[in-house]
Amino acid sequence: IAIGRARWSFESCQGVSDPDVLRALEIGAFCNSARLLGGEQDKEKIRWLGDPTEGALLVAAVQAGLLPRAEEPQTLHELPFDSERRAMSIVLRLPEEGLRMYTKGAAETVLEFCNSEWAAGQRQPLEPGRIEEIRETEGRMAAEGLRVLAVAFKELRGDEPDAFQEKRLTFVGLAGLNDPPRPEVRAAVLKARQAGIRTVMITGDHPATARAIARELHMCREEDEAVSGAELDKLTDEELAGRVEAIAVYSRVTAHHKLRVVRAWKARGQIVAMTGDGVNDAAAVKIADVGIAMGVSGTDVTRGASDIVLTDDNFASIVAAVEQGRTVLENIQKFLHFQLAGNVGGVLVMFIAALAGLPPPLTAIHLLWINLILDGLPALALGLEPPEMDVMTRPPRPPREPVIAWELGTRILRHGALIGLVVMTGFLLTLAEGGSTLHAQTIAFALLAFTRIAFSFCCRSQRRTMPVLGILSNPHLAGALALSGALQCVVLGATWARAAFGVSVLPLAEWLLVLALALVPVTLIELNKVRSAGQAPGHVGIVPRESRKSANG
């Protein structure tokens, strides 16, 4: 708290005795929309309902012994805070002191209301030179990352015509509130940047406060700009859209400014996510592509306008949700890759045999068994694949890109053709060596089943090989493949099952042939990953992507 030309720093306000400091704390406590829920003196146990900044002022007043009072003052009039005026005033009838107006808000606003200063228990004229001193003090406090509020008051007489107007106030001091970001936020901002997500700060705080916090969180790079609401007013919408990608910090902004910033980003063709908690954030949250409201401190209006409500008010939760969303999408693509490539292989085998006038390599019960039983468990397990290590270092997908894009679609066709070629090779080899149609169908059935089981390993990642991922890093898939392989062995080995599925006995040599051919697709696909990534086996590699326009939030 800065009073007069002195400054006090408090971790706790217990034991404060300076009357001027107590006056500043009293103004902050009574000119306040928050409400105490408990009057315990232990700082950790004091609870309040409302804005955290106002709650901090209440805690300070409780610790200084100003609250709770035996008799609560009567509220006669209130001028609530709004983002345009950036100040709040309240007129109270105090039991002993009489009528008073208490005001708090942005220093530049409150100083305009004041014509005197409170120092050492007396009023003094507020000279222009002294105003400059106060502003310099505010700038130094803001540069330390403090949220700075000015507090003022005036004593009223009931017959004053402008008693309830914010005029002729007495400036008391500046209150600097330290609201340090959560430890995990800095890491979340850096993680978002690696993921191609640009984080921009839009705040009503002092420009120096905003820049200090942005630098602390690594939101603001050397080449980035910082502008105030007054500077925004001088820019046309076209000029703002042209500069918006270079601006990282917006300070002293109103609800209208927030709307303009969101629209400027959207005019650049970007996907915009807007977070907010107050009523003045609701309009910008509403027009953003993704509106995110704070569930704890957010107002009902903002929560109603949003698409997502954070139950913990934590920015890191947004980044975690992005990571989870990317993982879910990739797992859906892995599921589709596995299922569709296997089906393409089965369809090709049947289609080629029909064109060549050969007997069908597979019967209906073979295809149903593979599609409904064997493939189901591995496909579900691929949906539980853990996030890949580089999932948050890739650029965002274009918003209109389909789930099965061209690259994935061609990969499905190539891999399906490879599976079909292996199954057809085993079928034709058996017929060429004089085997019966029943025996050739058994070979084809066994090959399609085991090839698809082994192929599921390839679908775990487009870039990383099995040794890099680790066979047991997805225990669900390992268990599913073990169960699917065991079921297929029962079908091919048990007498009653062979009769039901119409298959013959496979000697050991043919079992070895089936297993060798089943590993051909997975081996070729894994070697191609190594070649494409330019990596040695066993090392992590990322396939370079073509640069494309990212969808920034």
Side-chain angles (χ1 to χ4, degrees):
I1 298 180
I3 304 293
R5 289 171 173 79
R7 180 175 169 187
W8 291 262
S9 297
F10 304 106
E11 177 63 28
S12 168
C13 288
Q14 294 177 4
V16 174
S17 58
D18 187 284
D20 293 345
V21 176
L22 291 174
R23 173 64 57 88
L25 291 174
E26 182 179 65
I27 296 171
F30 288 124
C31 186
N32 200 308
S33 299
R35 181 166 57 88
L36 282 174
L37 298 179
E40 299 89 344
Q41 296 299 314
D42 186 346
K43 181 180 178 181
E44 300 299 324
K45 295 182 179 179
I46 298 173
R47 298 181 300 119
W48 70 85
L49 182 65
D51 180 78
T53 299
E54 297 196 320
L57 294 171
L58 287 180
V59 171
V62 171
Q63 292 177 339
L66 298 175
L67 294 176
R69 291 170 61 123
E71 184 178 348
E72 289 296 321
Q74 178 186 0
T75 301
L76 301 181
H77 185 67
E78 181 177 345
L79 295 171
F81 176 87
D82 68 67
S83 58
E84 299 287 342
R85 211 172 87 261
R86 295 198 294 275
M88 171 188 180
S89 294
I90 189 167
V91 178
L92 302 173
R93 185 186 300 279
L94 300 170
E96 299 178 0
E97 297 87 349
L99 291 179
R100 278 188 185 169
M101 171 179 278
Y102 287 158
T103 300
K104 80 172 190 305
E108 59 263 36
T109 300
V110 173
L111 285 172
E112 291 179 2
F113 302 155
C114 297
N115 63 356
S116 61
E117 178 184 10
W118 188 260
Q122 295 182 347
R123 284 187 181 83
Q124 298 177 0
L126 190 59
E127 303 294 343
R130 177 62 185 137
I131 292 176
E132 288 305 314
E133 277 188 51
I134 294 171
R135 287 176 174 164
E136 288 177 7
T137 301
E138 179 200 17
R140 288 194 298 270
M141 295 172 71
E144 297 172 18
L146 298 176
R147 176 171 293 176
V148 184
L149 296 175
V151 291
F153 80 105
K154 71 175 177 179
E155 295 172 339
L156 304 176
R157 298 191 307 272
D159 57 353
E160 292 182 61
D162 59 351
F164 294 168
Q165 296 183 18
E166 294 167 321
K167 295 180 179 179
R168 299 191 300 277
L169 300 184
T170 299
F171 175 80
V172 175
L174 300 172
L177 297 98
N178 184 21
D179 185 13
R182 298 186 185 188
E184 64 271 21
V185 173
R186 181 186 298 180
V189 171
L190 291 174
K191 196 172 186 180
R193 182 183 297 170
Q194 291 173 344
I197 300 171
R198 173 79 180 278
T199 307
V200 175
M201 179 183 291
I202 309 176
T203 177
D205 286 341
H206 189 281
T209 303
R211 282 194 294 268
I213 295 174
R215 284 194 296 268
E216 182 182 354
L217 297 177
H218 300 302
M219 283 187 188
C220 189
R221 299 166 297 184
E222 290 296 329
E223 64 271 20
D224 289 333
E225 300 178 29
V227 301
S228 66
E231 292 171 312
L232 275 181
D233 289 333
K234 298 175 183 177
L235 299 176
T236 65
D237 290 343
E238 292 75 17
E239 290 172 335
L240 178 59
R243 289 180 55 188
V244 70
E245 293 191 9
I247 302 173
V249 180
Y250 301 84
S251 57
R252 289 293 192 234
V253 295
T254 65
H256 175 64
H257 294 141
K258 295 177 182 181
L259 274 173
R260 291 189 63 199
V261 172
V262 172
R263 286 171 176 158
W265 275 105
K266 294 182 74 172
R268 302 289 296 179
Q270 306 295 348
I271 303 299
V272 183
M274 174 73 186
T275 66
D277 55 3
V279 174
N280 60 334
D281 296 319
V285 167
K286 181 68 175 178
I287 70 165
D289 296 290
V290 182
I292 304 172
M294 304 297 113
V296 178
S297 61
T299 60
D300 291 339
V301 173
T302 308
R303 288 198 294 267
S306 67
D307 303 296
I308 298 171
V309 177
L310 295 180
T311 57
D312 59 359
D313 288 11
N314 193 343
F315 176 81
S317 297
I318 301 174
V319 180
V322 172
E323 182 175 11
Q324 185 66 24
R326 290 187 175 192
T327 301
V328 168
L329 175 63
E330 288 197 351
N331 286 352
I332 291 173
Q333 291 173 327
K334 293 169 186 177
F335 172 92
L336 294 173
H337 182 195
F338 172 71
Q339 288 280 42
L340 295 180
N343 288 334
V344 166
V347 169
L348 281 177
V349 167
M350 301 298 289
F351 183 68
I352 292 171
L355 284 180
L358 298 171
L362 300 163
T363 65
I365 194 171
H366 296 163
L367 293 172
L368 288 173
W369 169 257
I370 292 173
N371 284 319
L372 298 181
I373 306 300
L374 289 192
D375 282 357
L377 293 176
L380 290 175
L382 284 171
L384 300 174
E385 187 71 22
E388 294 193 40
M389 290 179 287
D390 65 338
V391 69
M392 289 299 282
T393 60
R394 305 172 196 163
R397 297 171 60 250
R400 290 182 174 81
E401 182 180 270
V403 174
I404 301 179
W406 175 257
E407 182 184 0
L408 178 58
T410 56
R411 186 182 300 111
I412 288 172
L413 293 177
R414 291 197 308 270
H415 294 173
L418 185 58
I419 293 171
L421 178 62
V422 167
V423 174
M424 202 66 194
T425 299
F427 180 71
L428 292 176
L429 283 175
T430 304
L431 291 178
E433 292 177 356
S436 66
T437 299
L438 177 64
H439 199 62
Q441 287 177 337
T442 303
I443 293 291
F445 176 46
L447 268 175
L448 184 60
F450 288 112
T451 300
R452 291 178 70 163
I453 289 173
F455 173 67
S456 63
F457 281 111
C458 302
C459 298
R460 293 186 60 193
S461 175
Q462 298 177 14
R463 303 164 185 81
R464 289 179 167 80
T465 59
M466 281 190 293
V468 173
L469 293 172
I471 295 177
L472 297 179
S473 58
N474 184 351
H476 307 285
L477 181 61
L481 295 183
L483 181 58
S484 296
L487 289 173
Q488 185 64 21
C489 289
V490 169
V491 168
L492 294 172
T495 303
W496 60 269
R498 288 200 300 269
F501 282 84
V503 293
S504 61
V505 177
L506 291 180
L508 178 60
E510 291 185 341
W511 269 105
L512 295 175
L513 174 66
V514 166
L515 294 178
L517 286 176
L519 292 176
V520 169
V522 65
T523 302
L524 294 177
I525 293 170
E526 293 294 283
L527 288 174
N528 185 62
K529 289 180 186 179
V530 174
R531 181 191 62 80
S532 298
Q535 61 171 345
H539 290 79
V540 175
I542 303 174
V543 177
R545 289 188 174 187
E546 295 180 1
S547 60
R548 60 188 180 187
K549 191 175 186 180
S550 64
N552 294 327

